[in-house]
Amino acid sequence: MMEYAEYYEKAIRSIAEGTDPNSFAKLFYKCFQIPIIIVDEAFKLLAFANGGSFEDPYWEDIAQYGAARTETITDQYIKAGYLESIANSSTAIYVDWGVSRDYPQSCGPVYVNKELEGFISLLFMDIEKKEEACRLNTMVCSLFGIFLQTSDYQKKNMRNPVRQVFARRFFNPEEFSEPLDPVKYRPYVDISPEYQIAVIGIYEENDSMQDFLRGRIRSIYPNIIYQFRENRLYILMENRNEASMGYIRQRMRAVLTDYQFHAGLSGRFTEISERAKYIEQAETALQAGMASDPDEIVYYFRDYYPAIIFRQAKTSLSEENLIPDELKILAQHDREFGTDYKETLFGYLYERNDLNRAANYLHIHRNTLRYRMEKIRQIIGMDPDDPETALRLTSGYGVSGCQR
């Protein structure tokens, strides 16, 4: 078997010359003839080398399908403490419990800038080689961490400390209140409107679970801008068209459903300078949604606005979020064109959407009210006759102090 120092020198040279994950794994196998498999923090396959097939059927699954099965992660890795034990260790450990009881192996975490990026397992299957395999595994994890920090790989996979700096500034608008220009962070940060904020609740002090969740989200949304804070994962989603963003939200919902996490989603916006408002929307949507509808998975601020207003003191929300955007749009229209559509809508909602009673309340003709309501629908892009929309708008009038 090749000496460690000789392998280390070969590996460092290959990294400096610009290797890739598969070549990295093949070099290790060529030197030591020990099967190796490398996955990211969500157990998505990065590379493997084994000269045939794995004896471990779970790793065979990953090699064949490109990722661990959801039920394997939830029912085995997490419940057995496999994920947490490895992630919380600074060196590779010997694993012979849970799903590895019949397939003993060493497994170690890969860290970059103190952030978990993946796992490497050596499938030696021989208890007599336990200590040697763990030492070798620790070394190869360290080498792969160096590989992950190479500039070419960072740019290709959008993993760079620059993105972390941008995320800190983005998700902490109170601390970093100065204008935030994404252009200054290129090429590692390249985002464009429309934007949307998601806040996912973790609800337990579990760093390995946070890393795993981040990895699953990143597997469907590689361009992720994120930050963990107070047992929550904050995510900035961006895309140029609603169809793509809708697809991302659909896949994210599937991941959250698999692991019973919950998320609050803000409205969509185009100006980063308004990010504080939309971060608050996602936070409060998550709080109100969990309190009023814990069986749901994703909570949109727009849908839970009435619950937010009824459950929280008015002063706990910023003024921008107290009033629905539709009422702000109407108020702006009234100021620009001298109309009184905001008052008209209030009267219509006050009379429970009854056209005749609302016309009497407003002292206008029924046909005039019908015309105004049609204009209001066009201006706000929504139908006040929709029950959920009506409830949200009525709640907004309650906090805006609007009265005739």
Side-chain angles (χ1 to χ4, degrees), residues 11 27 57 205 230 243 267 285 365:
L27 174 62
E205 291 287 348
E230 298 176 353
H365 193 275

Side-chain angles (χ1 to χ4, degrees), residues 368-387:
T368 301
L369 177 57
R370 180 182 287 110
Y371 169 81
R372 290 186 184 179
M373 290 306 303
E374 185 57 36
K375 296 295 291 184
I376 288 170
R377 291 183 181 91
Q378 295 174 11
I379 293 168
I380 67 174
M382 303 198 74
D383 186 359
D385 287 328
D386 172 69

Side-chain angles (χ1 to χ4, degrees), residues 173-286:
E174 300 83 4
E175 182 179 355
F176 301 101
S177 57
E178 73 278 7
L180 188 61
D181 183 4
V183 174
K184 295 180 180 179
Y185 296 85
R186 288 179 179 170
Y188 299 111
V189 176
D190 186 12
I191 60 175
S192 59
E194 288 180 338
Y195 309 113
Q196 190 168 32
I197 306 296
V199 177
I200 301 175
I202 307 297
Y203 305 119
E204 59 180 278
E205 291 287 348
N206 189 327
D207 291 341
S208 59
M209 181 60 75
Q210 291 180 354
D211 291 323
F212 173 73
L213 175 60
R214 178 199 62 182
R216 285 303 307 269
I217 298 298
R218 192 164 62 185
S219 70
I220 63 173
Y221 192 64
N223 202 33
I224 185 175
I225 300 288
Y226 70 92
Q227 183 184 41
F228 281 109
R229 191 169 75 239
E230 298 176 353
N231 291 337
R232 291 176 177 176
L233 173 59
Y234 288 73
I235 298 174
L236 166 63
M237 295 185 291
E238 55 85 23
N239 207 289
R240 288 186 176 88
N241 70 66
E242 169 57 18
S244 296
M245 191 174 283
Y247 174 70
I248 290 169
R249 287 195 296 262
Q250 181 181 1
R251 292 195 63 191
M252 184 182 294
R253 174 186 279 273
V255 170
L256 297 174
T257 301
D258 283 341
Y259 302 99
Q260 290 302 297
F261 290 115
H262 302 267
L265 263 68
S266 73
R268 295 184 312 217
F269 59 106
T270 58
E271 299 296 331
I272 286 183
S273 59
E274 299 179 345
R275 67 191 189 279
K277 167 185 174 181
Y278 294 95
I279 292 171
E280 182 183 72
Q281 284 189 5
E283 290 175 331
T284 53
L286 177 62

Side-chain angles (χ1 to χ4, degrees), residues 67-95:
R69 297 174 187 266
T70 296
E71 56 269 23
T72 299
I73 296 171
T74 55
D75 298 340
Q76 304 292 342
Y77 296 163
I78 294 176
K79 287 184 179 179
Y82 183 85
L83 178 65
E84 187 172 5
S85 296
I86 298 170
N88 291 338
S89 175
S90 59
T91 61
I93 64 173
Y94 177 64
V95 183

